[in-house]
Amino acid sequence: SVALMLGLVFGSAIVILSEQLRTPVEVYRQRLRIDSITGAYNNRYFPRLVEEELAQNPDNLLTLGLIEFNGLKDLHDTLPVASLHWVLQRITLLLQKELRGNDTIGRWNDSTFVVMLPNTPGPAANTIFERIYQVLSVPIELGQLGSVVTLDPHIGGAEYSNNISMEELLEKSDTALNQARRDNTKPVYVWTLKNPFWQ
């Protein structure tokens, strides 16, 4: 009975200790995936999410979109860090409100976010991106500074089709974003294989 009691005590201690060790590992792993400022996925982990989605659902439509904010480029040198972080968090919240639950948001670089829209063809994604553009074109008020921030968004997207690679999908999205940068009258473009020209 003493051996049984000792076994129970040591067994419980090992279970508790392993659970204590596992939690920090999960927290650390999550930190490697998430952008610490916005709470969106970071640019190192986001491509893996897209590849996993394509591997699990190779026949489903998927659209990737790059959302660039020209207004953010100047803010990095002019806004206080806390205010800049608040603006980035506000952008993330606005994107979450406009997207569906299975859509994914990532922070691509200092002035660009990336979104993945599973089961979404190019024309439907174009409608979603135009709605996002309208929402993010409204200036954000910085009450504590008594000023407003104009984000000046441009959006380029690409529809996954014909088994193109992850690199090609990103390249097509970037090409569409370049076109959106050049045309101020229509700052949303989506590339599709069926219509390789801008739609």
Side-chain angles (χ1 to χ4, degrees):
S1 64
V2 172
L4 182 62
M5 287 296 292
L6 286 173
L8 284 172
V9 169
F10 283 118
S12 299
I14 289 171
V15 167
I16 291 169
L17 185 62
S18 67
E19 193 61 36
Q20 293 282 335
L21 290 174
R22 189 178 304 134
T23 302
V25 169
E26 281 303 312
V27 169
Y28 179 71
R29 197 175 287 163
Q30 192 68 2
R31 283 184 191 154
L32 291 176
R33 299 173 180 172
I34 301 294
D35 176 64
S36 60
I37 297 168
T38 63
Y41 289 106
N42 61 36
N43 62 359
R44 291 186 306 276
Y45 185 68
F46 195 89
R48 189 186 306 175
L49 285 174
V50 178
E51 287 173 345
E52 287 173 4
E53 178 67 29
L54 293 176
Q56 291 170 6
N57 306 295
D59 298 325
N60 287 355
L61 289 171
L62 175 150
T63 300
L64 199 68
L66 294 171
I67 307 169
E68 181 183 68
F69 300 98
N70 286 335
L72 282 182
K73 293 176 181 176
D74 298 330
L75 296 182
H76 287 281
D77 297 327
T78 58
L79 267 188
V81 172
S83 297
L84 178 61
H85 289 184
W86 186 86
V87 170
L88 291 168
Q89 290 161 6
R90 181 77 180 143
I91 289 170
T92 307
L93 284 173
L94 290 171
L95 286 172
Q96 287 170 342
K97 284 182 182 178
E98 294 304 316
L99 296 172
R100 303 160 301 182
N102 61 337
D103 298 333
T104 308
I105 304 169
R107 187 172 179 211
W108 200 242
N109 60 37
D110 286 345
S111 60
T112 306
F113 282 69
V114 59
V115 294
M116 175 175 62
L117 310 178
N119 302 313
T120 308
N126 194 71
T127 302
I128 293 169
F129 292 150
E130 285 180 352
R131 189 177 69 236
I132 288 171
Y133 171 78
Q134 294 299 325
V135 169
L136 294 172
S137 292
V138 177
I140 294 177
E141 293 186 20
L142 295 174
Q144 67 275 24
L145 297 178
S147 61
V148 295
V149 172
T150 302
L151 296 174
D152 188 21
H154 293 82
I155 304 173
E159 177 189 275
Y160 172 77
S161 54
N162 206 34
N163 294 321
I164 63 175
S165 68
M166 173 67 191
E167 290 75 21
E168 288 174 305
L169 185 62
L170 281 168
E171 182 185 313
K172 297 296 184 189
S173 298
D174 194 51
T175 301
L177 180 59
N178 283 331
Q179 181 65 24
R181 285 186 194 119
R182 287 193 293 269
D183 189 349
N184 287 326
T185 60
K186 191 182 179 193
V188 177
Y189 285 91
V190 177
W191 178 90
T192 64
L193 184 70
K194 292 176 184 173
N195 179 12
F197 302 101
W198 309 119
Q199 61 176 22

